[in-house]
Amino acid sequence: MNTKNLLKVLGVVLISLIMVYGTSCKKEEVVVTPPPAAYVPGFSATYFTVNAGAVEVLDFYITCTTDDWEMIKVNVIYPGGAGNDEFPGAGALLTKGNPFTFTTYFPKLGGSWTFNITGNIKSGDHSGDSFTVSTTVNISAK
């Protein structure tokens, strides 16, 4: 076999190997889907101004607008960091749309009041899910 024929045979073998192994080593795209976001129920906060003697105080009401739920705790943060109170829920069960109020009134301070609510969903597709959610209400200084 002469050199020219040997080179042709080696060329054909090399091209065959490239075609066989080149097409079988294609990288498959890996699609990574992120986990679904945690469910966050909807809450709203309202208030009434109450006259306690000669002093006006605030009576807050918190309502879950989406689910029945079990209250673990509610942390109330006063405007401007003037105070912070935590209220244990003691496993109280509350139904969708029915407000709860606190066992105490709050000083009438103008600004944004924040309520950090921790609990467990007790109805619907997310029953058993735990959550922590914040809702705020703005109070006029007048």
Side-chain angles (χ1 to χ4, degrees), residues 119-139:
N120 298 313
I121 302 295
K122 291 296 183 181
S123 65
D125 292 340
H126 298 281
S127 184
D129 289 1
S130 297
F131 66 87
T132 298
V133 66
S134 293
T135 188
T136 60
V137 65
N138 291 310
I139 309 294

Side-chain angles (χ1 to χ4, degrees), residues 15-40:
I15 290 173
S16 298
L17 286 173
I18 290 172
M19 289 176 55
V20 169
Y21 289 110
T23 58
S24 65
C25 293
K26 285 185 179 178
K27 290 186 179 181
E28 292 183 25
E29 288 185 35
V30 177
V31 178
V32 178
T33 39
Y39 177 69
V40 178

Side-chain angles (χ1 to χ4, degrees), residues 68-136:
D68 296 343
W69 64 291
E70 173 187 16
M71 184 190 321
I72 304 301
K73 69 178 177 178
V74 178
N75 190 349
V76 180
I77 302 170
Y78 295 42
N84 183 352
D85 291 326
E86 186 172 292
F87 295 87
L93 295 176
L94 299 137
T95 55
K96 171 184 167 182
N98 290 315
F100 77 89
T101 189
F102 298 94
T103 56
T104 184
Y105 293 128
F106 297 88
K108 187 172 183 189
L109 298 174
S112 182
W113 288 76
T114 301
F115 304 91
N116 295 324
I117 305 158
T118 302
N120 298 313
I121 302 295
K122 291 296 183 181
S123 65
D125 292 340
H126 298 281
S127 184
D129 289 1
S130 297
F131 66 87
T132 298
V133 66
S134 293
T135 188
T136 60

